[in-house]
Amino acid sequence: SQQGEEDPQALSIQEGENATMNCSYKTSINNLQWYRQNSGRGLVHLILIRSNEREKHSGRLRVTLDTSKKSSSLLITASRAADTASYFCATDVLSGGGADGLTFGKGTHLIIQP
Amino acid sequence: DTAVSQTPKYLVTQMGNDKSIKCEQNLGHDTMYWYKQDSKKFLKIMFSYNNKELIINETVPNRFSPKSPDKAHLNLHINSLELGDSAVYFCASSQLRQGAGGYTFGSGTRLTVV
């Protein structure tokens, strides 16, 4: 079954504003990752946050993780038109053997209006 | 150099045909995956291989058969194609395990069954 649920499903903001997307998941995880997918393209890894981390930054991206609430958020600051894409959270769950792959949420479609 | 490359990029074929999608990674990763993205952009893992050994085989019809001749290649063969197989198929690789890092995805193969 699906692990992650992103919220909102779609978000439209003006260029320069901040965009916040949320993700909830169901089971214990090893790490949580965020990916971007431009229309008609593959997924690009943005950032990974481990289960023992609470916040992580990478350029204009800020990710938080609350394992007690099983939720994560992705903040994109000072958005640009090029940030228009679908954003997915994905969980890497704890397992004995590894190689279980990622479980993806449904994604948030972000539109940056110029 | 492309890290994860899959071919073909587009594949249009008739119902009942057999087709293959090839994937190669030059990252030296141990684990490779096949994901299916449906028309609603939902991504679901199909298979994972670790060092040529099948690790995950999700509930996928046995018309789908992965083959890994070596750890840099993971091909997907589909027999007796059906309309419902139309989707975008992504190959991915990772260095595993337990929080090792993000996954690298190929650019996808858009399969259309007519």
Side-chain angles (χ1 to χ4, degrees), chain A residues 37-38 40-43, chain B residues 2 4-9 88-91 104-110:
Chain A
Q37 184 179 33
N38 289 85
R41 301 289 194 92
L43 288 94
Chain B
T2 304
V4 178
S5 60
Q6 51 182 111
T7 56
K9 191 171 174 64
V88 183
Y89 293 84
F90 288 98
C91 177
T104 304
F105 282 78
S107 57
T109 295
R110 183 174 293 276

Side-chain angles (χ1 to χ4, degrees), chain B residues 2-6 22-33 49 51 68 70-74 91-95 104-106:
Chain B
T2 304
V4 178
S5 60
Q6 51 182 111
K22 295 185 177 181
C23 179
E24 175 182 2
Q25 55 98 0
N26 63 3
L27 299 165
H29 285 170
D30 293 328
T31 311
M32 296 184 71
Y33 312 82
Y49 266 74
N51 270 320
S68 182
D70 55 62
K71 77 171 196 176
H73 295 84
L74 180 62
C91 177
S93 71
S94 75
Q95 189 51 18
T104 304
F105 282 78

Side-chain angles (χ1 to χ4, degrees), chain A:
Chain A
S1 64
Q2 185 180 338
Q3 167 79 310
E5 294 273 351
E6 280 96 338
D7 167 48
Q9 289 189 350
L11 178 62
S12 180
I13 61 173
Q14 293 294 122
E15 196 167 17
E17 293 180 338
N18 296 342
T20 300
M21 289 159 270
N22 302 297
C23 168
S24 61
Y25 58 91
K26 297 173 184 171
T27 64
S28 295
I29 62 170
N30 183 47
N31 64 66
L32 185 143
Q33 306 178 27
W34 284 90
Y35 288 81
R36 184 185 74 231
Q37 184 179 33
N38 289 85
S39 181
R41 301 289 194 92
L43 288 94
V44 175
H45 178 253
L46 296 175
I47 196 164
L48 178 153
I49 186 164
R50 292 183 170 79
S51 58
N52 60 355
E53 297 175 312
R54 291 297 166 256
E55 188 171 312
K56 204 158 182 182
H57 297 253
S58 176
R60 294 184 296 114
L61 304 180
R62 173 177 166 253
V63 168
T64 62
L65 179 65
D66 187 335
T67 52
S68 66
K69 295 181 180 178
K70 291 187 168 56
S71 67
S72 172
S73 67
L74 171 68
L75 169 68
I76 304 174
T77 59
S79 63
R80 304 168 182 169
D83 294 330
T84 294
S86 292
Y87 291 81
F88 295 89
C89 72
T91 52
D92 199 357
V93 299
L94 289 167
S95 71
D100 284 354
L102 296 172
T103 303
F104 283 86
K106 291 182 179 176
T108 293
H109 185 54
L110 175 65
I111 298 171
I112 308 298
Q113 308 276 6

